[in-house]
Amino acid sequence: MSPLVSALNLYDIANVKGVAADLSHCNTPSQVQDFTGASELGNCLKGVNVVVIPAGVPRKPGMTRDDLFNINANIVKTLVEAVADNCPDAFIHIISNPVNSTVPIAAEVLKQKGVYDPKKLFGVTTLDVVRANTFVAQKKNLKLIDVDVPVVGGHAGITILPLLSKTKPSVNFTNEEVEQLTVRIQNAGTEVVEAKAGAGSATLSMAYAAARFVESSLRALDGDGDVYECSFVQSDLTDLPFFASRIKLGRKGIEALIPSDLSGISEYEEKALEALKPELKASIEKGIAFVQKQPVTA
């Protein structure tokens, strides 16, 4: 729907033609093309500016994001190899879970291919921000359009850390509210998985969040100088190699990390930040090890 999209290329291993035909009837300016199967993947990616990877299997009840690891890790690795070969300068948006591992997987593949640009690789954590904004607005009877909660760390369970002390507009929370909201934001994905009772995981809210992040990327590529989003990226804000925080987006990708969100946080948030680091570190290392064990195809 974005006027900034001139061409939309859809790729999957099956069932693409119907989706493309359906979408192509919308009276929007973008040209929709379909590509099916490994033999068409290269053509799908040639000349593309933004690649969005939501591929993989969704979570089912009782599944952790770790259970998804082996299936989705392979899918992401294969797709990013093709990106490296066909559109190495594109912005790459990784949605496939577990994001805490799949983003490091993508980085390793790109490094092995000699085309890694850390400014152009993004783990899409926008859904955590969307949920945080929604839940805070509901809890505090605020107008949603005004609410902005930065969410840092990673994109699973306790690694998701909403910085409620940095909420705009400024809001006072009791300790109990902070804990309640934090836990709800961290477990919101499971809330949906359970409500769907075996029929999948968050799709509509995820699509909404992905559209928001892609729109922001397109605005940045188009020269808008005022684009900020939270994203899981290569980072030096903590001692971890990847970390989600607010970033400033520009034509070349990440123009700046915004360290101010992490200064002057509450004691609860300080503790939560220290607590999430070992888990996030393990997920990152798991992703890196996955690629190093399996050489990338030349």
Side-chain angles (χ1 to χ4, degrees):
M1 285 169 65
S2 168
L4 296 169
V5 179
S6 55
L8 178 65
N9 288 358
L10 302 176
Y11 171 80
D12 207 336
I13 51 175
N15 304 329
V16 195
K17 282 195 177 353
V19 178
D22 199 354
L23 269 178
S24 72
H25 294 177
C26 301
N27 62 332
T28 59
S30 53
Q31 297 299 310
V32 182
Q33 284 189 281
D34 59 275
F35 299 85
T36 307
S39 62
E40 294 185 13
L41 179 55
N43 285 337
C44 174
L45 291 166
K46 282 194 174 53
V48 164
N49 302 108
V50 177
V51 176
V52 185
I53 302 183
V57 295
R59 226 153 42 108
K60 299 218 163 57
M63 264 177 116
T64 66
R65 283 185 167 86
D66 248 12
D67 296 333
L68 305 179
F69 179 81
N70 285 326
I71 305 169
N72 290 359
N74 260 314
I75 293 170
V76 169
K77 178 172 166 281
T78 307
L79 292 172
V80 175
E81 285 174 16
V83 171
D85 291 340
N86 294 285
C87 54
D89 290 331
F91 283 18
I92 306 171
H93 295 174
I94 307 277
I95 296 173
S96 311
N97 272 319
V99 166
N100 294 353
S101 301
T102 52
V103 172
I105 285 170
E108 284 304 300
V109 169
L110 294 164
K111 277 180 199 165
Q112 289 188 11
K113 292 274 198 178
V115 294
Y116 179 47
D117 180 351
K119 292 185 169 61
K120 293 183 174 179
L121 177 63
F122 309 94
V124 179
T125 59
T126 318
L127 183 51
D128 301 326
V129 177
V130 163
R131 286 167 167 160
N133 292 350
T134 303
F135 301 163
V136 166
Q138 285 169 347
K139 186 100 175 150
K140 291 295 185 180
N141 276 332
L142 298 168
K143 262 175 55 192
L144 192 64
I145 191 128
D146 299 330
V147 179
D148 188 24
V149 183
V151 182
V152 302
H155 184 57
I158 66 155
T159 70
I160 300 167
L161 177 56
L163 297 178
L164 295 167
S165 68
K166 300 282 185 171
T167 299
K168 288 187 176 114
S170 180
V171 189
N172 286 325
F173 298 98
T174 64
N175 291 349
E176 193 183 25
E177 282 176 328
V178 166
E179 189 153 346
Q180 252 179 349
L181 279 166
T182 300
V183 169
R184 185 169 180 214
I185 292 158
Q186 289 172 338
N187 294 331
T190 305
E191 206 177 289
V192 177
V193 168
E194 287 170 357
K196 287 193 173 183
S201 59
T203 49
L204 299 171
S205 53
M206 182 61 245
Y208 170 82
R212 168 176 152 169
F213 191 76
V214 173
E215 176 86 18
S216 291
S217 291
L218 294 169
R219 277 175 35 222
L221 279 166
D222 200 46
D224 187 333
D226 188 33
V227 183
Y228 295 86
E229 288 283 357
C230 290
S231 181
F232 184 64
V233 297
Q234 183 177 309
S235 174
D236 57 8
L237 293 186
T238 67
D239 44 8
L240 298 167
F242 293 88
F243 191 78
S245 69
R246 199 190 297 272
I247 57 173
K248 183 174 197 284
L249 284 159
R251 279 205 162 111
K252 294 199 158 49
I254 300 164
E255 278 189 359
L257 304 172
I258 312 295
S260 58
D261 285 336
L262 288 173
S263 59
I265 57 178
S266 71
E267 191 184 338
Y268 177 89
E269 289 159 356
E270 290 272 6
K271 282 193 179 133
L273 180 57
E274 288 315 304
L276 71 81
K277 283 179 180 175
E279 184 169 320
L280 187 49
K281 183 170 189 268
S283 298
I284 292 167
E285 285 169 354
K286 186 173 180 177
I288 292 169
F290 174 81
V291 179
Q292 290 178 347
K293 282 203 294 275
Q294 306 186 312
V296 167
T297 52

